Amino acid sequence: MNRSTKPRVVVIGGGTGMPVLLRGLKYFPIELSAIVTVADDGGSSGRLRNELEIPAPGDIRNVLAALSDAEPMLLDLFQHRFTNGNGLSGHSMGNLLLAAMTSMTGDFYRGIKEISRVLNVRGNIYPTANHSMNLHAEMEDGSIVSGESNIPKQNKKIKRVFVSPTPIQPLPEAMAAIKEADLIVIAPGSLYTSIMPNIIVPEIREALQQTKAKVTYVCNVMTQYGETSGYTAADHIQALHDHVGKGSIHSIIVHNKPIAPSVKKIYAEENAEPVVYDIDRIKKMGVHVVEEDILDHTKPTIRHDTNKLAHLLYSLL
């Protein structure tokens, strides 16, 4: 099979949901690209970003690890987080390597490409932007909150999110990937702080509106306190429509089996509850509903099942 005949799949997102999805997809005969948020400003990522003026490396690091075919030992090293040591404490090795590679090559994206070679990565990884960007939220009450990590802490209803400084210049390679894609997957994850920072970049938003690809959204299974409290599946789509434009999402993938009461209880302590699938309202929005059991039932917490999801997404092609 030559390169040109493989179906092209682009996954957009960040946070913890995206690597789960990519880990399964990398074994399929597809041309895989990931567009990853760099708006993170907390923890190791935020510190490196502020001290070295580089885009936040954390989400990129997790995607590199997910798509890598390197030896487990090398991956463990890459994901290792220092717990002590003045200045090193809290930093993960992968973030430091990304920072070092950026400094050596003079360019964040080139740094990612070099580390991709070292880690034997399957697929292309593109940061949303090749420079640092900040996320802001306008709340329903009119207040503006700045910083990705601060937004959920307010526990206010979010009206919209936007980024600065403008204009944000996405990579031409990322734009080409969206335009040439057969399937675009919006990964599960924090709706306003992991997914939106990618798709509100004007050029990416326009490319999503114009692409001939099918666009599917893998819906979160649980609500998230401070971001999507009380949101139904249709509310998630409405938020995406508000930020990207109506008609840009063709289908939504929802988990259709009940959540165990014991698991619900754990999440209730974090003020999270199962997302209600209001299927009639979703259909009225012109979005196709794909229902499957897509959870990993061997885990005590709610995690999408890498293989179930990969097979389902591949079947959409």
Side-chain angles (χ1 to χ4, degrees):
M1 205 180 218
N2 68 10
R3 206 180 143 88
S4 59
T5 57
K6 281 186 184 178
R8 294 164 186 262
V9 179
V10 174
V11 180
I12 300 177
T16 53
M18 191 175 188
V20 173
L21 205 143
L22 293 169
R23 216 168 280 130
L25 274 179
K26 71 177 173 187
Y27 295 113
F28 283 82
I30 56 175
E31 182 123 346
L32 185 56
S33 298
I35 297 175
V36 191
T37 178
V38 287
D40 182 13
D41 64 2
S44 163
S45 222
R47 280 160 60 199
L48 290 169
R49 177 188 142 148
N50 294 336
E51 287 166 26
L52 304 173
E53 292 184 357
I54 61 169
D59 290 284
I60 296 271
R61 182 193 82 243
N62 287 327
V63 167
L64 279 161
L67 288 177
S68 164
D69 259 349
E71 293 296 321
M73 186 68 192
L74 185 57
L75 277 186
D76 289 346
L77 174 67
F78 188 68
Q79 290 288 47
H80 175 72
R81 199 175 282 277
F82 294 96
T83 49
N84 50 19
N86 198 4
L88 265 183
S89 181
H91 277 311
S92 85
M93 190 65 198
N95 286 356
L96 295 172
L97 282 172
L98 276 162
M101 209 46 115
T102 303
S103 159
M104 280 164 66
T105 58
D107 181 270
F108 186 58
Y109 174 54
R110 267 187 68 194
I112 294 167
K113 281 203 293 194
E114 292 300 332
I115 289 182
S116 294
R117 288 222 322 259
V118 173
L119 289 180
N120 204 5
V121 160
R122 297 184 180 213
N124 309 301
I125 300 172
Y126 306 116
T128 318
N130 209 13
H131 51 82
S132 211
M133 59 191 261
N134 298 301
L135 186 67
H136 312 274
E138 181 188 343
M139 302 300 184
E140 288 284 354
D141 66 5
S143 61
I144 304 272
V145 179
S146 295
E148 176 266 344
S149 57
N150 295 324
I151 292 168
K153 288 180 192 158
Q154 310 301 312
N155 191 29
K156 290 179 176 179
K157 203 158 163 33
I158 298 167
K159 185 177 172 187
R160 66 177 187 114
V161 287
F162 57 99
V163 284
S164 72
T166 51
I168 299 254
Q169 264 128 16
L171 291 159
E173 293 90 338
M175 303 308 299
I178 293 174
K179 287 181 183 129
E180 292 160 12
D182 297 298
L183 176 67
I184 295 172
V185 183
I186 297 173
S190 303
L191 183 62
Y192 289 102
T193 54
S194 288
I195 295 168
M196 295 296 191
N198 300 294
I199 57 184
I200 57 178
V201 172
E203 281 181 59
I204 292 182
R205 185 173 64 217
E206 278 156 33
L208 279 172
Q209 288 164 354
Q210 291 160 6
T211 182
K212 294 178 183 67
K214 290 182 198 163
V215 181
T216 191
Y217 166 53
V218 182
C219 192
N220 292 333
V221 180
M222 304 299 281
T223 60
Q224 187 179 352
Y225 183 69
E227 288 204 32
T228 54
S229 296
Y231 273 44
T232 65
D235 291 331
H236 282 75
I237 293 175
Q238 188 58 55
L240 289 165
H241 279 176
D242 290 346
H243 286 79
V244 189
K246 206 167 159 21
S248 44
I249 311 249
H250 305 122
S251 62
I252 180 169
I253 295 173
V254 298
H255 173 69
N256 66 352
K257 294 281 178 285
I259 308 290
S262 59
V263 177
K264 271 193 205 170
K265 208 173 145 192
I266 298 168
Y267 278 84
E269 288 167 18
E270 295 173 18
N271 294 311
E273 57 200 10
V275 170
V276 174
Y277 302 124
D278 38 355
I279 288 177
D280 291 341
R281 190 173 145 217
I282 296 169
K283 286 179 177 163
K284 284 199 184 97
M285 297 167 99
V287 176
H288 176 65
V289 181
V290 181
E291 295 182 70
E292 283 274 351
D293 175 359
I294 47 172
L295 286 192
D296 179 348
H297 298 290
T298 62
K299 300 263 194 321
T301 53
I302 290 177
R303 287 284 171 269
H304 283 94
D305 184 295
T306 304
N307 299 323
K308 287 181 192 170
L309 209 43
H311 279 278
L312 177 58
L313 291 168
Y314 189 67
S315 74
L316 294 182
L317 288 162

